[in-house]
Each structure stands twice: as structure tokens, then as C-alpha cells.
């Protein structure tokens, strides 16, 4: 900043100078300082990013922030599309009304899973039960939560994340966690005891984010759902209980690497590479088949999922809770009316 200020002063003198010789000297001096400023900025940037990457070598998110700064990548606008095209009886119409655009996206996302399922063919003759072996004799019981556990779950919420409807701002929620942990634990335990997930927590704000090709076509946007952060706390507590039960009873497949503690995609790659090496060492051919299901999450059969959960020990009231969680309810749960108002 000192060099820039010095450069600006020389430039002002250069503009005012009438003597040609002095003017040329000021011009040369101006260029030297300008080059020095460029060199200083480059050196400072290099030192800054070297230090930044060293300090955040284990934080992938912050590493990519630094990379995007270097390549000057601009963030995509979070605002939704201002217009889209829809096909009505073979004729393309342009929609600009925000309400109509929102309704069109809502209709598309609500129906896309059913359209995909209608196109799928199931050549197999066996029912899913034929693939389920060795049912778990033990039954999953939902242990009640405590204010301390709820407080810990609140502390683990990422304050940089956006929240959906029926939420308390993340930073405010963390600042009042000691006061709110007791009433929240009462509500959550009521949910666990009755096998009902509050319908009000199932509402979400769906934000369409453009992913490819024309911005006028609805199918070229992927949906980002923002749920209530209170719902995230409930999910976290249930996940901890379910995960501990499945792990302790060895219900998870050994080669399941995703969504497990001390497992990652790196382990999946290492396992696959090891199998390829062993196959080649034996003089055989290694062949891989990779399947990518479109809308895999949205097209899961809930009835089959609940039956599988029952097979692995999630029976009775816990199974009823997951059924309530997966289904869209028509009425607001009583526990929400009693405790949230």
C-alpha cells in the first residue's frame, strides 16, 4: 500500500511537470515502482497461498476455496430461473410468472420418480425376500435422549449451512442450546415413544440449481432440499442409535464403505485395485461393471425398505417411526402442536 501511494504521488507529479527531462525521469521512476509493486504482490500471494495450503492440508473444503480463488472462479448465482419453457399439447410456451415457475418445478420433482419407475423393467422372478438371509434375532430399541445429547447435536451443526422452514437460525440455536435442549429432548423422546415423526419437520424448501445445457428446461436443474435444522437434530440422534445397533450386530456388509465410521471411498478404491492385482497375478482377466441409477434415492421402494429393516431387527415401534418418517402425513402431529406452539 505504501508503494502504491508512492506510485500515485509520482504520477501526479508527472502530470504536472512541464520540463521534458524531468517528466521522462518521473516516467521511468513510475515504471520502476509499478514493476516493483507487481513483483511484491506476486511474492505476497505466493507466500499467502503456500501458508494457506499448509495450514489447511487436511481440510478439503478450505483447500478448494483457495484453489477457486487462484483460478478466479466465480460463484454461481443462487437466484432461481426467471423464465422456463413448458410443453403443452406439443406447443412450447414460455413461463415468466414466478408462481407458475415454482409450480412447474414442484410438479416435475414430484413426478420424476414415478416416470422413471414406469420405464424400468424387472426381469428377475425372485422376490426380494429370497435374497435376505440370517434374520437378526435381536430387536432394535430406541433409547431416550437427554438434554446433554441434544446440546451436543446442536453444537455439531454447521453454522455456514442454510436452513429450511420451521427452523431457528443456526447461530442463534447454538447460542441458546443450553436453554432449548430440555424442551427439545422432551419433544424428541415423545416422537420416539409414539413412533411418529412430526409432519411439520418434513416440510422443505426446494431450490433448483442449474447443472447442464439449456437454462429454460426444468429437467436440467437438480433440486437442493433445505429441511428444518430441528429435523436434522432428530435425524442425527436416530442415526446414532440405528448405526450403533447395526454395527454391534454385524448387519452391515463388510464391503460397505459409504456412510460408515473409519471407512471412505479410498477404501473402496484400494479394495478394487487389490482385487484387480490378484486377478492379473493369477493370469486371469479383470472385468468391472459399474451401475449408476438415475434418481436412486427418490426411487427406493419404501415398503421393501421397511421390510428389510424389520429383517435386520428394526421391528415394532421403531419400524413404525421410520414408516412415519418416510411418508407424507396429512395432519400435523399432536406433539408438534403441544410443544412447538
Amino acid at each position: 500500500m505504501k508503494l502504491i501511494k508512492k506510485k500515485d504521488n509520482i504520477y501526479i507529479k508527472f502530470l504536472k511537470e512541464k520540463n521534458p527531462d524531468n517528466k521522462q525521469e518521473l516516467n521511468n521512476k513510475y515504471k520502476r515502482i509499478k514493476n516493483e509493486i507487481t513483483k511484491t504482490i506476486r511474492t505476497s500471494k505466493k507466500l499467502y497461498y503456500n501458508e494457506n495450503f499448509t495450514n489447511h492440508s487436511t481440510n478439503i473444503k478450505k483447500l478448494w476455496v483457495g484453489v477457486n480463488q487462484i483460478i478466479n472462479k466465480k460463484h454461481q448465482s443462487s437466484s432461481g430461473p426467471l423464465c422456463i419453457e413448458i410443453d403443452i399439447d406439443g406447443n412450447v410456451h414460455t413461463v415468466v410468472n414466478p408462481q407458475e415457475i415454482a409450480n412447474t418445478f414442484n410438479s416435475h420433482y414430484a413426478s420424476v420418480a414415478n416416470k422413471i419407475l414406469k420405464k424400468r423393467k424387472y426381469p428377475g422372478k425372485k422376490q426380494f425376500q429370497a435374497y435376505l438371509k440370517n434374520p437378526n434375532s435381536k430387536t432394535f430399541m430406541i433409547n431416550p435422549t437427554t438434554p446433554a445429547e441434544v446440546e451436543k447435536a446442536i453444537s455439531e451443526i454447521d453454522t455456514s449451512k442454510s436452513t429450511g422452514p420451521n427452523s431457528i437460525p443456526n447461530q442463534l440455536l447454538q447460542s441458546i442450546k443450553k436453554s432449548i435442549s430440555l424442551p427439545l429432548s422432551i419433544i424428541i423422546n415423545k416422537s420416539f415413544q409414539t413412533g411418529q415423526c412430526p409432519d411439520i419437520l418434513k416440510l422443505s424448501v426446494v431450490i433448483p440449481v442449474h447443472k447442464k445445457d439449456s437454462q429454460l428446461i426444468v429437467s436440467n436443474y437438480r433440486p437442493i432440499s433445505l429441511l428444518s435444522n430441528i429435523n436434522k437434530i432428530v435425524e442425527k440422534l436416530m442415526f446414532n442409535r440405528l448405526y450403533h445397533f447395526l454395527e454391534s450386530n454385524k448387519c452391515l456388509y463388510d464391503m460397505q464403505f459409504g456412510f460408515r465410521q473409519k471407512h471412505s471411498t479410498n477404501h473402496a478404491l484400494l479394495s478394487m485395485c487389490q482385487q484387480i492385482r490378484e486377478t492379473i497375478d493369477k493370469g486371469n482377466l479383470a472385468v468391472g461393471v459399474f451401475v449408476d441409477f438415475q434418481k436412486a434415492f427418490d426411487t427406493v421402494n419404501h415398503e421393501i425398505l421397511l421390510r428389510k429393516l424389520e429383517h435386520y431387527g428394526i421391528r415394532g415401534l421403531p419400524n413404525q417411526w421410520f414408516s412415519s418418517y418416510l411418508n407424507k402425513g396429512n395432519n400435523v402431529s399432536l406433539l408438534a402442536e403441544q410443544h412447538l406452539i
Side-chain angles (χ1 to χ4, degrees), residues 8-270:
D8 293 340
N9 290 333
I10 292 173
Y11 185 70
I12 293 172
K13 291 180 181 179
F14 169 80
L15 294 175
K16 294 179 179 179
E17 183 61 49
K18 303 298 182 181
N19 187 295
D21 294 335
N22 293 338
K23 196 175 186 70
Q24 183 62 41
E25 184 179 348
L26 288 169
N27 184 44
N28 294 336
K29 192 174 183 180
Y30 172 83
K31 289 181 179 179
R32 286 196 301 270
I33 295 179
K34 187 178 179 181
N35 292 336
E36 187 179 353
I37 291 172
T38 302
K39 182 179 178 181
T40 302
I41 290 175
R42 287 176 179 173
T43 303
S44 298
K45 278 187 176 181
K46 185 177 180 180
L47 291 172
Y48 168 78
Y49 284 113
N50 281 339
E51 184 178 354
N52 182 67
F53 290 141
T54 301
N55 294 338
H56 301 124
S57 59
T58 58
N59 191 323
I60 299 298
K61 184 177 180 180
K62 291 188 177 181
L63 282 176
W64 275 111
V65 169
V67 171
N68 289 332
Q69 287 177 350
I70 292 174
I71 64 178
N72 197 25
K73 182 178 179 181
K74 296 181 179 179
H75 292 284
Q76 293 183 346
S77 174
S78 59
S79 60
L82 300 177
C83 67
I84 57 172
E85 291 180 350
I86 59 174
D87 190 328
I88 302 177
D89 299 328
N91 297 319
V92 177
H93 296 267
T94 302
V95 178
V96 294
N97 182 278
Q99 184 66 47
E100 292 183 26
I101 292 175
N103 290 335
T104 302
F105 273 104
N106 184 63
S107 299
H108 170 71
Y109 292 135
S111 62
V112 65
N114 290 331
K115 291 179 181 178
I116 293 171
L117 288 173
K118 288 180 181 179
K119 295 178 182 179
R120 288 184 183 172
K121 297 180 180 180
Y122 300 93
K125 296 180 180 179
K126 291 185 179 181
Q127 295 294 321
F128 72 92
Q129 295 93 331
Y131 300 95
L132 296 177
K133 308 295 182 182
N134 304 320
N136 186 10
S137 59
K138 296 183 180 179
T139 301
F140 173 57
M141 303 297 292
I142 308 177
N143 296 324
T145 187
T146 62
E149 187 183 20
V150 172
E151 191 174 328
K152 180 183 178 183
I154 295 174
S155 300
E156 293 173 351
I157 291 177
D158 188 348
T159 55
S160 66
K161 301 293 184 181
S162 300
T163 58
N166 305 308
S167 296
I168 300 173
N170 287 330
Q171 291 184 338
L172 176 60
L173 183 63
Q174 290 192 348
S175 65
I176 61 171
K177 59 185 178 183
K178 292 186 179 296
S179 302
I180 203 174
S181 58
L182 176 59
L184 269 182
S185 65
I186 295 173
I187 296 172
I188 295 169
N189 283 332
K190 189 69 175 178
S191 173
F192 292 166
Q193 292 165 8
T194 59
Q196 294 294 320
C197 182
D199 292 336
I200 198 171
L201 297 183
K202 301 175 189 176
L203 299 176
S204 66
V205 174
V206 179
I207 301 174
V209 178
H210 181 254
K211 59 179 182 179
K212 63 178 182 179
D213 301 334
S214 174
Q215 297 186 12
L216 299 175
I217 301 175
V218 174
S219 58
N220 290 340
Y221 290 80
R222 60 185 175 91
I224 302 296
S225 297
L226 300 179
L227 284 162
S228 166
N229 54 4
I230 305 300
N231 179 71
K232 291 181 179 179
I233 296 171
V234 179
E235 287 181 351
K236 179 72 174 179
L237 299 179
M238 178 57 79
F239 169 80
N240 290 340
R241 286 155 174 73
L242 180 63
Y243 181 80
H244 176 73
F245 176 81
L246 295 176
E247 280 283 10
S248 60
N249 288 279
K250 298 182 178 180
C251 296
L252 298 178
Y253 179 47
D254 290 338
M255 305 302 286
Q256 168 68 38
F257 296 107
F259 309 103
R260 295 180 68 184
Q261 295 176 3
K262 299 179 181 179
H263 291 72
S264 71
T265 51
N266 289 333
H267 293 98
L269 292 172
L270 290 171

